[in-house]
Every structure is written in C-alpha cells, then in structure tokens.
Amino acid sequence: MADKKEISSKYTVLLVRICLCSIFVNILFVVREYYGGEDYELQLSWSRKAAAEAESVAAISCSGHGRTYLDGTILDGEKPVCECNPCYGGLDCSHFLPDCPADADSGDPYFLEPFWMQNAESSAVLVAGWHRMGYRYINNNQSLMSKELENQIRKLHGMVGNAVTSGKYILFGAGSTQLLNAAVHALSLHHNASSPPTPVLASIPFYTLYKQQTDVFGSSNFKFEGDASLWMNNSDSNNTNLIEFVTSPNNPDGKLNKAVLQGPNAKAIYDRVYYWPHFTAIPASADEDIMLFSISKLTGHAGARFGWAVIKDETIYQRMTMYIGVNTMGVPREAQLRALKLINVVLQGRGREIFEFGYKTLSNRWENLSQTLSVSTRFSLQKIGDQYCRFFHKVRKPSPAYAWLRCEREEDKDCYAVLKAANIIGRRGGVFGAEDRYVRLSLLRSQDDFDLLLHRLNQLVLEEDKIKTMPIM
Amino acid sequence: MADKKEISSKYTVLLVRICLCSIFVNILFVVREYYGGEDYELQLSWSRKAAAEAESVAAISCSGHGRTYLDGTILDGEKPVCECNPCYGGLDCSHFLPDCPADADSGDPYFLEPFWMQNAESSAVLVAGWHRMGYRYINNNQSLMSKELENQIRKLHGMVGNAVTSGKYILFGAGSTQLLNAAVHALSLHHNASSPPTPVLASIPFYTLYKQQTDVFGSSNFKFEGDASLWMNNSDSNNTNLIEFVTSPNNPDGKLNKAVLQGPNAKAIYDRVYYWPHFTAIPASADEDIMLFSISKLTGHAGARFGWAVIKDETIYQRMTMYIGVNTMGVPREAQLRALKLINVVLQGRGREIFEFGYKTLSNRWENLSQTLSVSTRFSLQKIGDQYCRFFHKVRKPSPAYAWLRCEREEDKDCYAVLKAANIIGRRGGVFGAEDRYVRLSLLRSQDDFDLLLHRLNQLVLEEDKIKTMPIM
C-alpha cells in the first residue's frame, strides 16, 4: 500500500513536472508570438509571400561563383537558375571554364556584392503594390524627387567630407549618364542660333560617353571637339563658351584631375563618381559648380541607374531639371526608394563599414597587380602614390577602380591585341581618346574575374622571363 | 480517507487534462511553425525586417484620403506621415479643405490604386540588397533588359489582343517618354547634314510632350512642325522624310486615330499607351511598325517610369537601343523587377480582374460626367459611342481617360479660365495645339479628385439654369 502510494505520488510529481515544462514551452511560444522577431512586433500578412519568395530564391546555391535573382530565367517552371560569373558554368556555377577569357572590360562594380550579402537584413526593401503610383512626390512640392533621399545625400556628403552641398541644388538622374548630357544641355543654352555649336572638351584619356552622347544626340547647340588642352588659348580670349568635362578621379587612370580651361567662358562639369573613399584619398571637400555622383560607384549598384548632380547656379539647375523632366520624367520611384535604403545603410555605419570593405578589397587588388607587374619590363601601370585621406584620417594606399596599363615594347602598339592573345579582355586606349598602346583593366568586378585576370597576367609576365632567359640561337 | 483519495484522484485527472491541453497547444505551435504560412514553408530571416517595415508603414491610417510611403517624410523621427489626396489635410487626411480647387490637371493614374491595395499580397516585391548590381543581364546576352519581362510583355499583348508582337523587337525605356524621342531619333537618322531637319508632326489636339521634347533637345536632325494634315500633299510627292506621331486612343480626346500621312517617306510612331481595355474597346490587334506602351497607363504605375516599344524594323530597333543605352544605360533594374511583378498579376487574372476594375471605374465616371453635362448648353463633351471589344467579347460603354470639354458660349474663349473661376483646374486646349475653347479634364485620378470635380461641375451647370430662369429686369 505504501509502495503503491509512493509510486502514485512519484507519477504525480512527474506529471506536475511535465505539465510545468509544457506550460513553460507554451509561455515561450506566446512570448515569441507577441514580442518576438526583435522589434518587429507586427505579425506579417500581405508582405510575407514576397519576403518568402525573395529568401527562397536567394537560398539557391550557386557555389559562390554566381547568384540567383527574383527575375532570373526560369527553366524548370519553378525557380530561377543561377547566373554565373564569367568563366563559370553548370547549373550551380561550380564548373570552371578553363579557356574562357579573363574579363576586365566593363566597370560592373561587383566588388561590393559580398558587402551587401553580409548586410542582407538592413539593405532589403519591400515595395508594396501601390507604392508611389503617381508622377510626383505629393509632400515635396509635387517634385519628381524624394525629399528624404535628397536629405540623406546631403548628410552623406557631409559625413564623408567629399563635396560641399550647402547652398547648392541637388538633382537626380538616371545614373550620372543622364546628368552628363543634362549638364551639357544646360551650359550650351546661351548659344546663339547663328553661331557655331558650343565645343565640348575633355582631357585625354577621357570616359568615352562624353563624346558618344554628344555625337549621338546630334544637337545643334553643342559638339564634341576632343582634347581640352588644345583650346587653352581660346578660353579667356574670346566669347566662345567652352564646356569641359573633368573626371576626378579620372576614368581610366584615377588621377585627381582639375579643369584645364580657365576664364569666364570656360564651364566645367566635374564628374565626381569615383570621388569616394574606396577609390581614392579624399584630400578635401570638392566645391565645384557642377558635380556629378552616382550610386553605381558609391554602393556598387550600377543596375539601379541612380545618380545626382550638385549644382551651384539656380538657372543651370532649372535647365537641367527641365531636361530630365522632358527626357524621362525623373528617375523611377523604385530606384529612388532603393537608393534611400542603401544610402541609409552607408549612413548607419558612418561610412566606415562599406568604405573600409571597398578600400580593403581594391587596395589588395592593386597591391597584387602591382607586384605581378613589378618584374615586367613589357607592361607598366599608372603611378599613384600614398596620400592622406581626410575621411580615414590616415595616409592610405592606392586603390583605383581601373588599371591604366601601358605596353612598353615598341612593337606592342596594339596593347589590346597583346592582352587578347593572352586571353585577357581589356578596353582599348583608343576608346578613351588615347593611344592603343594603353588598355584599361577593370579592377572593380567580382573576385573571380580579378583572380583570373591576375593569373593570366602572371602567366604573361612569366613568359617575358622565359623569352629574356632564352639562349640566343 | 476515501474523500482524500477522491480529491487526490480528481486533482490528478485535472492535472492530466491541463497537461494534455498544454501539450496539444504546443503541438499546434510546432505545426504552425513548420507547416504554417500557407505554402511559404521558409522561416523568414533577413527579409523579415523589410517586410515588417513595409507593413507597419502601410498600417498607418490616412482615413481613406491618403496613404503613407516607406520613403515618406518623417516628422516625429518615427514613422512617415500621411500624404493626402488634394483637398484633404490633417495628420490623418481626415480634414476636408472646402475652398480647395478640384484638380483635374495631370494624368496621375490613381484610379487603379485601390486595385493594388486589394491585391497587396500578389503585387508586393522584396528587393534584396545585392539584386542586379551589374549593368547587364548576364543570362540575356548581356542585354540591359530582363528577358523574363520581355516574355511576359509578349504574353500580355497576346492575351489582351491589343498588339501583334510576333516577329517584332521589344525595347524598354523610361516610360513611353524616353521612347518617344528614341523613335524620333531613329527615324531621322537618314537625314543628310546639308538638308533641313526632318519635320515631326502630329494631329491636333496632340500630347504636348511631342513638341516639347523636340524643342528642348534642339537636334539638328529633326524639328517639330505642328499639324500633320498641313503636310498631306508633301508626304508622297518628294523625298522629305516626315515623322508623324499618332496617338491612339488619342490624348486628350480618346479617338482611335490613324496616321494622316501616307506614302514611302511618311513614318508613323504610334503612341498606344491608352490602348488597353480600361480606356477603350479593343476592335483589333494593332500592327504598326513602331508602337509605344507604358506601365503607367496599363497598371497605373506612372512613378515606375517603365515603358516599351514594339518595333518591326531591325535597324530602327538598333538605333533606338543605341539611343537608350547612351542616354540612360537602360531602365533601372528595380523598375524592371517591379514591372515584371505587376504584369504577372495582370496575367494571373487573365487580365479580367484589373481591366474590369479599371473599366468599371472609368465608365462610371464617364456616365456621371455625361449625365451632369447633359443638361448644359454651356459645356459639351467629345462624342464616344459604344463599341464592340474583342477583349471583353461584348459591346462596351465609353470609359476614356480624359474628358475633352468645349465651352460653347461665344464669349467663353478661355475655357480654362471659366473653369478656374469655378474652382476647377483642367489643362488648357492650347497645350494640345488646339483652341483654348477646349480644356482637358483628367478622369483617371483618385476617386476623391473625381468626386470633387463632379460636384463643382454640377454647381456650374446649376448656375446655368439659374441664369436661364432669372427674370429679365
């Protein structure tokens, strides 16, 4: 009887314990239900499907050599397939294609992709079906631009210390691309119908789009006339207006260029898209009359086609605004929303995180490239020294976006062809108005692309050695 | 003793019950955890914050007279404030502003906003931080355009039966806006440097941007020359190329226009942005050489700045592609992703849902407007008849995007001013190359805007009656 009683009481204790445990687990579930998900108290409803879709697509493995996108090709009727880095293939991008050329051509800024993958949570944005359907921002004087984004951009320049924005206007465009021509348009409007078109100039080597746009748009108000230095004597002597593109840091050679032309009739458009701490030291806050920036080179989102101009003169600002309005009615609200989110992430980290990530990546690449070519007498690189950076508060090493390679041998007049023969695709010097003895090599692509480029260059340099040490027959 | 035993056994039973209940609740939690959320088996991680943010912003009440946006102005440092429809104010847009003018000016297509709010789940899209950072679509021959989106657009035209796309090229642009000038550019390239610019023409009344773009861009290749009909004798007699804009249905009057100019030198650009079943009957599948469409008038997302051209000729397609590339390097990938999602919703519903919603709204508005003005001798509307629609498979009533109002009284030469005096803002006829005796009234804005417009027009018409019945003094 005592035994039975003991057993019964043991069971009761066990039962109480189980009961307490279970209730405790209940409480945990309930607490998580109502206070869980950090500070996202809301239970998700209509947004959950889109979020799950995005995560499910992102979860597909592409072996670190590619990625999937929500709008990727769907082959099996289910999920999008991997989009592989150049020289990688197979369904999951795990297959290396050994004979494939090392692509160092375009400036696709995939070097920052890993940063955004690491910051997935803070950089994601959910666009509701009814987001900004109208043409204009109701709470921003019916403007085509988001006031919040403008404010963030001003904050950003203040934090980085790379441009003075106070007392200046800000105008958004489709990358810096659209703003380049908007600025040329605005500066050439003084033009008298009977006088010749305003010359558009740049220092060699220059970004090819300056010429291409001016040629394609065939305006009667302006015309690309090439090398700015040839016009130095014209710039203050007569009444001809001159428009000079100044790219600083320069694409392709990374130099912190200044306007060649001075005087009352010389108008400069400063293309400042590379003036961020991952690419260059920031010696001072730029304070030119027209400065162009883009998210493509700031956060690496070339595809977002979002850029902005910082403009001193009100008339120029209004003319440029008119141009953008008539050309595209502003920048898609989706691109503005995304830019807001991305710049917000940059601001949250006080710029340190992204710029350190970018600087580290690019300075390593430059160091590796320099080392590889240091033993070469056939190829040389542009010279960039260490420089004090007011953002990092220290002397920093070079970390340019591009290498401006020169083929030194007399016979290597076509440097592009020399590299092509070694299975490397660069961009020929002629494209930048320079000799074809130069080639631009992009250093801001994916790590896969850079690794292959370095490998192929190494082989080329090793061959040099072989030739040098070959016994004379 | 028996009593004690009984009580003890009762407690044990109660305990077992509590225990079972608790375990059952836990099982429910676990089941929901792993199989819940319909078919979104995934537990959300990095996307949850963005989703919660979007829902939290959307949950702010704006009394049905406004809405909040993720990128809205933040006043209290917490959440964005309501952006109210015109004539509504206050923090939650509940305050009606009685003296505020009825805005019927711009073509902001808010009439479809309720549709997207009703379809919140299927139309939301989550953009990951690393979404499409590069310039080009890797799996689409390095194009600037999403292949998936192109395929969806072809499907859409097939389903609606409003345009023949097979054997034709599709090119994306920043709304139809950018494509208008891309087309003019492409068609005027035959132009010889010594000959005068190619005339760009349109039938009156015409959409003002045709003129505005041509004027602003100041190309030496083309020039806006106004009324197409004045050039009818020129079009096949000599070698001058002529470019004619044909808007069908027409903005402002909704007519299904056809090209006025014929002959080998007359090139037409068909602006087909209103050729969707909410605005017009679809009598046949359009099959012109250059046709322009936009998501602004299809789904109501004017802010997305997404449009496309359907182009027959390969050379024209290539020239337009070059123009878009040099102008903006394509359309933001965010806008393309969103367009894909929205068009997908249209396709999922086989077009029925959105077109019926749109048609119902706009045909009701037209009916109310017609009724109001039917007793007026002072104002008249354009005539639009019922017509058989091959999409709806029935005769449908008129449902135009705009009313093209005419002031009939001899002295009412400035119809815009007449309406302005009655606190109604339209768009003056002169803007469309027509007499100022006409005014365009937008019917595709929000219900609030339309209601106020109707109310004010009603008052105007009532005053007519009063004047008519006033005793002669």
Side-chain angles (χ1 to χ4, degrees):
Chain A
M1 181 71 191
D3 262 15
K4 250 192 175 173
K5 212 176 170 184
E6 211 173 286
I7 289 166
S8 156
S9 126
K10 264 189 188 168
Y11 273 122
T12 308
V13 169
L14 188 67
L15 203 60
V16 167
R17 278 184 184 161
I18 290 173
C19 197
L20 284 175
C21 270
S22 176
I23 287 169
F24 181 69
V25 172
N26 280 159
I27 291 168
L28 281 184
F29 270 120
V30 169
V31 165
R32 216 194 57 163
E33 188 81 5
Y34 290 97
Y35 302 95
E38 289 166 35
D39 53 349
Y40 328 131
E41 297 130 50
L42 258 161
Q43 266 303 299
L44 296 183
S45 66
W46 57 269
S47 71
R48 193 179 165 83
K49 190 178 161 215
E53 253 172 30
E55 290 208 15
S56 135
V57 165
I60 299 167
S61 163
C62 303
S63 313
H65 301 297
R67 76 295 291 157
T68 47
Y69 294 118
L70 262 184
D71 57 358
T73 313
I74 294 163
L75 282 187
D76 55 1
E78 287 237 331
K79 282 178 179 172
V81 297
C82 286
E83 305 195 11
C84 306
N85 289 337
C87 303
Y88 286 85
L91 274 180
D92 65 349
C93 304
S94 62
H95 185 59
F96 178 66
L97 311 165
D99 298 330
C100 156
D103 191 343
D105 182 5
S106 85
D108 281 298
Y110 284 114
F111 77 108
L112 287 172
E113 195 183 54
F115 177 83
W116 295 107
M117 287 182 168
Q118 286 161 27
N119 288 274
E121 189 175 48
S122 56
S123 61
V125 59
L126 191 133
V127 189
W130 62 92
H131 180 76
R132 298 255 176 236
M133 293 179 64
Y135 287 104
R136 292 171 185 279
Y137 287 79
I138 301 171
N139 282 10
N140 190 23
N141 298 320
Q142 302 289 325
S143 156
L144 296 169
M145 304 194 294
S146 155
K147 188 72 194 166
E148 290 303 303
L149 181 50
E150 188 192 324
N151 293 344
Q152 295 267 44
I153 286 171
R154 289 183 190 274
K155 259 192 219 163
L156 175 72
H157 284 301
M159 189 194 78
V160 176
N162 66 337
V164 176
T165 61
S166 99
K168 291 181 180 171
Y169 300 91
I170 287 186
L171 174 65
F172 303 162
S176 64
T177 311
Q178 189 185 21
L179 293 162
L180 297 171
N181 200 254
V184 170
H185 166 81
L187 292 175
S188 67
L189 269 197
H190 285 294
H191 174 68
N192 182 318
S194 62
S195 60
T198 305
V200 177
L201 309 158
S203 287
I204 292 170
F206 56 78
Y207 179 40
T208 188
L209 203 60
Y210 306 148
K211 179 178 187 310
Q212 226 181 338
Q213 281 192 338
T214 313
D215 291 352
V216 168
F217 297 149
S219 165
S220 49
N221 293 339
F222 50 81
K223 197 176 172 209
F224 193 79
E225 300 274 9
D227 192 2
S229 61
L230 301 177
W231 292 73
M232 278 172 78
N233 297 334
N234 280 29
S235 61
D236 47 12
S237 56
N238 62 33
N239 283 325
T240 312
N241 266 328
L242 299 172
I243 298 170
E244 181 184 358
F245 273 113
V246 186
T247 324
S248 185
N250 194 33
N251 172 3
D253 62 13
K255 289 201 180 119
L256 285 171
N257 282 348
K258 283 186 179 153
V260 164
L261 306 176
Q262 303 295 333
N265 301 313
K267 312 285 179 196
I269 300 166
Y270 271 82
D271 182 341
R272 286 278 187 191
V273 295
Y274 296 95
Y275 199 51
W276 296 105
H278 16 243
F279 304 115
T280 177
I282 306 292
S285 212
D287 194 13
E288 292 97 17
D289 288 0
I290 304 181
M291 300 184 278
L292 307 182
F293 294 90
S294 81
I295 206 159
S296 166
K297 298 305 179 288
L298 164 62
T299 65
H301 293 81
R305 313 304 314 120
F306 181 81
W308 63 95
V310 181
I311 306 157
K312 193 175 174 190
D313 185 79
E314 192 186 346
T315 311
I316 299 295
Y317 164 71
Q318 279 167 350
R319 284 184 194 156
M320 286 178 71
T321 300
M322 164 64 115
Y323 178 95
I324 301 282
V326 167
N327 187 193
T328 58
M329 287 197 200
V331 175
R333 314 317 172 236
E334 293 81 359
Q336 296 193 40
L337 176 62
R338 191 148 187 241
L340 182 75
K341 192 68 172 178
L342 298 167
I343 291 178
N344 199 38
V345 175
V346 176
L347 287 172
Q348 292 299 316
R350 303 247 354 115
R352 291 270 147 200
E353 289 169 21
I354 189 166
F355 294 130
E356 270 171 13
F357 181 98
Y359 167 63
K360 204 174 144 194
T361 306
L362 292 181
S363 59
N364 271 340
R365 289 185 183 180
W366 181 253
E367 204 173 317
N368 286 331
L369 183 72
S370 302
Q371 216 155 27
T372 296
L373 295 180
S374 64
V375 293
S376 168
T377 54
R378 191 177 186 186
F379 305 105
S380 70
L381 287 175
Q382 77 263 44
K383 302 276 171 285
I384 314 176
D386 294 358
Q387 196 173 357
Y388 184 79
C389 174
R390 286 179 52 180
F391 174 77
F392 286 128
H393 300 294
K394 66 174 185 188
V395 174
R396 70 194 284 296
K397 293 178 196 165
S399 59
Y402 307 105
W404 186 232
L405 193 84
R406 188 174 193 272
C407 278
E408 297 287 345
R409 284 187 193 158
E410 177 55 30
E411 67 272 28
D412 287 351
K413 286 190 177 70
D414 187 349
C415 193
Y416 175 83
V418 170
L419 294 179
K420 183 91 196 296
N423 221 0
I424 295 168
I425 309 291
R427 190 168 285 184
R428 58 167 72 251
V431 172
F432 302 88
E435 286 178 77
D436 275 338
R437 185 171 286 290
Y438 288 92
V439 161
R440 187 191 82 171
L441 298 175
S442 175
L443 305 179
L444 36 69
R445 298 168 59 92
S446 72
Q447 196 60 39
D448 281 344
D449 284 346
F450 180 76
D451 290 345
L452 191 59
L453 168 69
L454 200 68
H455 174 72
R456 293 267 159 82
L457 282 173
N458 240 320
Q459 284 179 317
L460 249 181
V461 173
L462 283 177
E463 272 166 35
E464 251 181 81
D465 257 13
K466 269 186 217 155
I467 293 164
K468 268 191 246 165
T469 56
M470 225 190 286
I472 297 158
M473 303 292 273
Chain B
M1 180 73 193
D3 261 16
K4 247 190 177 176
K5 211 175 166 184
E6 211 172 285
I7 288 165
S8 154
S9 129
K10 262 189 187 167
Y11 273 123
T12 310
V13 169
L14 188 66
L15 205 60
V16 167
R17 278 186 185 160
I18 289 173
C19 197
L20 283 176
C21 270
S22 169
I23 288 170
F24 180 70
V25 169
N26 274 328
I27 289 170
L28 281 183
F29 271 119
V30 169
V31 166
R32 214 193 59 161
E33 188 82 6
Y34 290 96
Y35 302 95
E38 288 167 36
D39 52 349
Y40 329 130
E41 298 128 50
L42 260 161
Q43 265 306 297
L44 296 182
S45 66
W46 57 269
S47 71
R48 192 179 165 83
K49 189 179 162 215
E53 253 172 30
E55 290 207 15
S56 136
V57 166
I60 299 167
S61 163
C62 302
S63 312
H65 301 296
R67 74 294 292 157
T68 46
Y69 295 118
L70 262 184
D71 56 0
T73 313
I74 295 162
L75 282 188
D76 55 359
E78 286 237 330
K79 283 179 180 173
V81 297
C82 286
E83 306 195 10
C84 306
N85 289 336
C87 303
Y88 286 85
L91 273 180
D92 64 350
C93 305
S94 62
H95 186 57
F96 178 66
L97 311 165
D99 297 330
C100 156
D103 191 342
D105 181 4
S106 86
D108 282 298
Y110 284 115
F111 77 108
L112 287 172
E113 196 183 54
F115 177 83
W116 295 107
M117 287 182 168
Q118 286 161 26
N119 288 273
E121 188 175 51
S122 56
S123 61
V125 60
L126 190 134
V127 189
W130 61 92
H131 180 76
R132 299 255 175 236
M133 293 178 65
Y135 287 103
R136 289 168 188 282
Y137 286 80
I138 302 172
N139 282 11
N140 190 22
N141 298 319
Q142 302 288 326
S143 157
L144 296 170
M145 304 193 295
S146 155
K147 187 73 194 164
E148 290 302 303
L149 181 50
E150 188 192 324
N151 292 344
Q152 295 267 44
I153 286 171
R154 289 182 191 275
K155 258 190 220 166
L156 175 72
H157 284 302
M159 189 194 78
V160 176
N162 66 337
V164 175
T165 61
S166 99
K168 291 181 180 170
Y169 300 91
I170 287 186
L171 174 65
F172 303 163
S176 64
T177 311
Q178 190 184 22
L179 293 162
L180 298 171
N181 200 254
V184 170
H185 166 81
L187 291 175
S188 67
L189 269 196
H190 285 293
H191 174 69
N192 182 319
S194 62
S195 60
T198 306
V200 177
L201 309 159
S203 288
I204 293 170
F206 56 78
Y207 179 42
T208 188
L209 203 61
Y210 306 148
K211 177 178 188 310
Q212 226 181 339
Q213 282 193 337
T214 313
D215 290 352
V216 168
F217 298 149
S219 165
S220 49
N221 293 339
F222 50 82
K223 197 176 172 208
F224 193 78
E225 299 275 10
D227 192 1
S229 60
L230 300 177
W231 292 72
M232 277 172 77
N233 297 333
N234 279 31
S235 62
D236 46 13
S237 55
N238 62 32
N239 282 326
T240 314
N241 267 328
L242 299 172
I243 298 171
E244 182 185 357
F245 274 114
V246 186
T247 324
S248 185
N250 194 33
N251 172 2
D253 62 12
K255 290 205 179 115
L256 286 171
N257 282 348
K258 285 186 178 152
V260 164
L261 305 176
Q262 303 296 332
N265 302 313
K267 312 284 180 197
I269 300 166
Y270 270 82
D271 183 339
R272 286 279 187 189
V273 295
Y274 296 95
Y275 199 51
W276 297 104
H278 16 245
F279 304 114
T280 177
I282 305 292
S285 211
D287 195 13
E288 292 97 17
D289 288 1
I290 303 179
M291 299 183 279
L292 307 182
F293 294 90
S294 81
I295 206 159
S296 166
K297 297 305 179 288
L298 163 63
T299 66
H301 293 80
R305 313 304 313 123
F306 181 81
W308 63 95
V310 181
I311 307 157
K312 194 176 175 189
D313 184 80
E314 192 185 346
T315 312
I316 298 297
Y317 164 71
Q318 280 167 350
R319 283 184 195 155
M320 287 177 71
T321 300
M322 163 63 114
Y323 178 94
I324 301 282
V326 166
N327 187 193
T328 58
M329 287 199 200
V331 175
R333 314 316 174 236
E334 292 80 358
Q336 295 193 40
L337 176 62
R338 191 146 188 245
L340 182 74
K341 191 67 173 177
L342 297 168
I343 291 179
N344 199 39
V345 174
V346 176
L347 287 172
Q348 293 298 316
R350 305 246 354 114
R352 292 270 146 199
E353 289 168 21
I354 189 167
F355 294 129
E356 270 170 15
F357 181 96
Y359 167 62
K360 204 174 144 191
T361 307
L362 292 180
S363 59
N364 271 340
R365 290 186 182 180
W366 182 253
E367 205 174 316
N368 286 330
L369 184 71
S370 303
Q371 216 154 27
T372 296
L373 295 179
S374 63
V375 294
S376 167
T377 54
R378 190 177 187 186
F379 305 105
S380 69
L381 287 174
Q382 78 262 44
K383 301 278 170 284
I384 314 176
D386 294 359
Q387 196 174 359
Y388 184 80
C389 174
R390 286 177 53 179
F391 175 76
F392 285 129
H393 301 294
K394 65 174 183 187
V395 173
R396 71 194 282 297
K397 292 177 197 166
S399 59
Y402 307 105
W404 187 231
L405 192 84
R406 189 175 192 271
C407 279
E408 296 289 345
R409 284 189 194 158
E410 179 54 30
E411 66 272 28
D412 287 351
K413 286 192 175 70
D414 187 348
C415 194
Y416 174 83
V418 169
L419 293 178
K420 184 93 193 299
N423 222 0
I424 295 168
I425 309 290
R427 191 168 285 182
R428 59 167 72 248
V431 173
F432 302 89
E435 286 177 77
D436 275 340
R437 185 171 287 288
Y438 287 92
V439 160
R440 188 190 81 170
L441 299 174
S442 176
L443 305 179
L444 34 71
R445 298 168 59 94
S446 72
Q447 195 61 38
D448 281 346
D449 284 346
F450 179 75
D451 290 345
L452 191 58
L453 169 69
L454 200 67
H455 174 71
R456 294 269 158 81
L457 282 173
N458 241 318
Q459 285 180 313
L460 250 181
V461 173
L462 283 177
E463 274 169 33
E464 253 180 80
D465 257 11
K466 270 186 218 158
I467 294 166
K468 267 191 251 168
T469 56
M470 225 189 288
I472 298 155
M473 303 291 274

